[in-house]
Amino acid sequence: MARVRPMLDGVSETLLWTFYNRAYEAGRRYPVLDDPMALQLLADLDYPFEERFGLPGPFSSQAQGLRSRCFDLAVQAYLADRPEATVVALGDGLETGFWRVDNGRLNWLSVELPEVATLRRTLLPPSDRLRTLSGSATGLSWLDEIEDPVGRGVVVTAQGLLMYLRPAEVRKVIAACAERLPGGVFVLDSMSRWLARGTVAGTSKVGDMTVPPMRWAMNPGERRKLRGAHPGITQVRALRLPRGRGAMGELIRVQSLLPGLRTLTPAVTQLRFGG
Ligand SMILES: C[S@@+](CC[C@H](N)C(=O)[O-])C[C@H]1O[C@@H](n2cnc3c(N)ncnc32)[C@H](O)[C@@H]1O
């Protein structure tokens, strides 16, 4: 296959940065994320990653790997009870979670903006249990595409997405899931307010890329407020990053547990919907 050159900007370009960090981590010795599909994708893409974003630092690549691993563990825990559940990955970018957690029975729906949906379809191998829907997560029509959500169960993930939406949109997406997906869970990550502030001011950069404004932010201590989005939310739970590799892994874990607001990694939260 000829190598593919992604032409993305704005929020969509950020997927290349998270992907690059994950793939870089997957290529290390003793990676925290076992992800051969990400390494294959890295080879298939024609993109000046290092020039655009700089070489991933030991903190950011391992932290991205641990964040994905944290999402994987939450999905796998749900699948242990409901192996035929649908996993809906909102803003899935070039995530390869389907291949990391596939149990041979789940269904996976990626929901992405049109240019990214096209890129996924071009680059990733097809499966009859994997679909990529083109459209905005905030449009909610993807909810109609989930087969037997109550019988089979649903895990919705939003990794690296909600911070780029407006607060009212975040509330709308969560409330709609709580209303329509009883028995399901929603796994999300959030940036602390101080980190988001720099992005809104336009002063936050990763290599040459200016980080797009993160309009929704939440300090870890504010998690319980999410319950107010809908009465169907029966549990709000902090998910801890798994243990990483070496001294850097320990540093990442310890800073993510600090009670202060200046943590450098996004906080991961799981919402459970009753019913
Ligand atoms: C930081 S990237 C995260 C990608 C992937 N989840 C990951 O962790 O690598 C943000 C992603 O959100 C997607 N996105 C932004 N707004 C969206 C929307 N309204 N609906 C669906 N996807 C959206 C972008 O295209 C991009 O892929």
Side-chain angles (χ1 to χ4, degrees):
M1 183 173 93
R3 293 172 79 216
V4 175
R5 173 124 201 164
M7 306 290 275
L8 301 172
D9 57 11
V11 177
S12 293
E13 190 186 6
T14 61
L15 78 85
L16 294 171
W17 180 67
T18 50
F19 163 74
Y20 184 38
N21 277 275
R22 244 185 349 263
Y24 196 83
E25 173 60 29
R28 281 182 194 269
R29 274 183 84 188
Y30 311 116
V32 297
L33 194 69
D34 183 21
D35 199 339
M37 187 61 80
L39 290 170
Q40 181 60 52
L41 266 183
L42 192 60
D44 291 343
L45 284 165
D46 171 18
Y47 189 81
F49 285 105
E50 193 177 330
E51 230 171 82
R52 180 72 174 144
F53 305 124
L55 205 60
F59 184 99
S60 73
S61 56
Q62 189 173 168
Q64 295 279 352
L66 288 172
R67 175 174 76 155
S68 290
R69 182 88 188 108
C70 184
F71 274 74
D72 287 357
L73 289 170
V75 170
Q76 286 169 321
Y78 190 87
L79 291 170
D81 285 336
R82 308 188 77 175
E84 296 189 348
T86 302
V87 182
V88 183
L90 303 175
D92 209 12
L94 286 179
E95 251 292 12
T96 40
F98 171 73
W99 292 272
R100 294 194 304 263
V101 305
D102 187 20
N103 60 1
R105 294 165 73 188
L106 61 83
N107 279 291
W108 189 284
L109 274 186
S110 289
V111 180
E112 257 297 350
L113 299 176
E115 62 276 23
V116 181
T118 304
L119 193 63
R120 278 189 74 84
R121 290 191 196 110
T122 309
L123 284 163
L124 291 166
S127 158
D128 53 3
R129 291 178 295 103
L130 167 68
R131 270 201 302 157
T132 299
L133 301 178
S134 172
S136 173
T138 61
L140 302 181
S141 56
W142 51 269
L143 278 162
D144 302 327
E145 303 289 331
I146 306 170
E147 213 177 301
D148 190 14
V150 177
R152 292 188 180 190
V154 183
V155 187
V156 181
T157 68
Q159 188 186 182
L161 168 69
L162 298 184
M163 52 286 278
Y164 295 112
L165 303 182
R166 293 174 190 281
E169 292 172 326
V170 172
R171 209 181 159 88
K172 177 175 106 168
V173 171
I174 292 174
C177 291
E179 180 76 32
R180 302 266 304 267
L181 308 175
V185 298
F186 193 119
V187 188
L188 62 102
D189 64 341
S190 52
M191 283 296 185
S192 59
R193 291 179 184 271
W194 81 275
L195 264 179
R197 214 170 286 138
T199 67
V200 172
T203 54
S204 192
K205 296 198 87 161
V206 173
D208 274 353
M209 177 182 77
T210 302
V211 180
M214 295 181 178
R215 297 198 167 87
W216 179 69
M218 180 180 83
N219 292 333
E222 297 178 280
R223 274 192 179 98
R224 73 183 82 91
K225 288 191 200 164
L226 290 172
R227 210 165 171 148
H230 193 277
I233 301 171
T234 53
Q235 189 192 52
V236 177
R237 193 156 75 88
L239 300 185
R240 305 288 178 220
L241 292 183
R243 222 166 248 287
R245 179 187 57 243
M248 183 56 77
E250 201 49 24
L251 178 71
I252 292 167
R253 196 180 67 86
V254 169
Q255 67 81 41
S256 77
L257 294 173
L258 292 175
L261 309 176
R262 299 204 161 227
T263 47
L264 295 165
T265 43
V268 186
T269 304
Q270 177 175 281
L271 310 177
R272 190 168 283 279
F273 305 136

